[in-house]
Amino acid sequence: MSRIDYPEAISYNGRQLEEGDFSREMIARLVEEWQATHPPLKIDGCCGPKTQASIYSEIPPRRVPEKYCWDPWDGPMEEQPRNRAGVYQIFGTPGDASSAWAKQHIVESHGSQAFPGVPPKWYVKIHREVEPYAREGLRRANLSSPYRIDRCGGYVYRRVQYDEANPLSYHASGIALDFDSNRNYAKRFPEGDGPQPWSPKWMKIWPHGIDEPFVRAMSSCGWSWGGWWRYFVDPMHFEWVGDADV
């Protein structure tokens, strides 16, 4: 049996301890390594009381490295929307690219004015009031995360999931960004069965996707992340709506 990536396992278990959401293989491998220095623990892949006690005593509460933590950024907006009604109240009713609304509210970021970490060849369209939050969030992400962006998309006038039966996407309001759909593609799961971000199950699906430091940097500037959703999980997607505390 190959040796476990111990720091990664500790990080995962620290996050999942109270819920008991462990990989049986991970627990078995952890216990196997502990046998040399710990009281005998049964290698059955179950996190029973003795195993939990060992985790509590030997593994400190999980903490994100200081360089990955950011204070909330107080940008120029006086209020952030919490729902669709709030979006329309604050930003107005969106319109397509040829509309007066789009010409007044949508700006482009590219070339010398590209967002930090975004290749300058891309024309990223976004609502002018939200642009500073994207710029600061991506500046922070570029400093703290090794993830490198290949492609970024923003404003586009369309319905949610391109389904005409759905309401307009937040992309149509210019307050949503998508990063690298090939590495962070959306996926449906049975209701409530979406994987915990960066757990072993998650990493099997999105091994090269957006990491936690990137999400923390963006959320510190008000961006909510689609990777936290539990039915339709959308790791490429960030929207400037609601509380984005991770």
Side-chain angles (χ1 to χ4, degrees):
M1 180 180 291
S2 61
R3 290 182 62 80
I4 193 168
D5 184 343
Y6 203 67
E8 180 179 348
I10 289 174
S11 175
Y12 173 74
N13 286 322
R15 184 162 53 220
Q16 300 300 320
L17 182 58
E18 291 186 2
E19 298 177 1
D21 182 17
F22 296 99
S23 157
R24 293 178 63 87
E25 180 185 10
M26 179 174 287
I27 290 297
R29 293 172 68 187
L30 278 169
V31 171
E32 182 183 59
E33 290 206 355
W34 289 345
Q35 292 289 25
T37 56
H38 291 70
L41 295 173
K42 187 176 180 181
I43 306 177
D44 57 5
C46 297
C47 190
K50 289 185 178 180
T51 304
Q52 288 202 25
S54 294
I55 294 174
Y56 274 124
S57 63
E58 297 296 326
I59 301 174
R62 180 175 181 273
R63 291 184 174 85
V64 177
E66 192 67 29
K67 69 177 181 177
Y68 296 157
C69 297
W70 298 93
D71 292 331
W73 188 65
D74 186 15
M77 292 287 290
E78 295 183 359
E79 182 181 3
Q80 183 179 31
R82 295 289 184 263
N83 50 40
R84 188 170 299 278
V87 168
Y88 293 157
Q89 180 180 357
I90 294 172
F91 298 111
T93 303
D96 62 32
S98 63
S99 69
W101 181 92
K103 292 177 181 178
Q104 179 183 355
H105 296 292
I106 299 301
V107 296
E108 289 184 339
S109 172
H110 66 95
S112 62
Q113 299 301 312
F115 288 128
V118 176
K121 65 180 179 180
W122 300 120
Y123 286 70
V124 182
K125 297 181 179 181
I126 193 169
H127 196 288
R128 66 171 63 253
E129 301 293 339
V130 175
E131 192 271 352
Y133 296 90
R135 189 167 297 279
E136 177 61 14
L138 288 168
R139 184 190 73 84
R140 295 180 175 200
N142 199 46
L143 288 173
S144 61
S145 169
Y147 185 85
R148 291 297 171 257
I149 299 165
D150 292 330
R151 185 164 186 165
C152 173
Y155 167 79
V156 58
Y157 189 79
R158 65 171 176 82
R159 301 279 173 174
V160 173
Q161 299 175 34
Y162 295 92
D163 186 338
E164 289 300 314
N166 290 332
L168 285 172
S169 165
Y170 288 141
H171 285 282
S173 291
I175 59 172
L177 295 170
D178 285 342
F179 299 97
D180 302 322
S181 60
N182 60 323
R183 286 186 281 162
N184 303 291
Y185 54 87
K187 185 175 176 64
R188 293 182 182 277
F189 294 89
E191 187 170 0
D193 193 41
Q196 178 75 13
W198 312 295
S199 66
K201 180 179 177 180
W202 177 281
M203 296 305 294
K204 287 181 180 179
I205 302 171
W206 297 287
H208 306 295
I210 286 171
D211 60 12
E212 185 172 6
F214 189 102
V215 174
R216 284 186 171 271
M218 292 292 287
S219 67
S220 72
C221 294
W223 294 91
S224 295
W225 182 46
W228 292 115
W229 301 343
R230 284 292 163 267
Y231 170 55
F232 179 74
V233 183
D234 195 2
M236 77 178 84
H237 182 84
F238 289 81
E239 58 190 37
W240 204 72
V241 180
D243 295 321
D245 182 23
V246 299

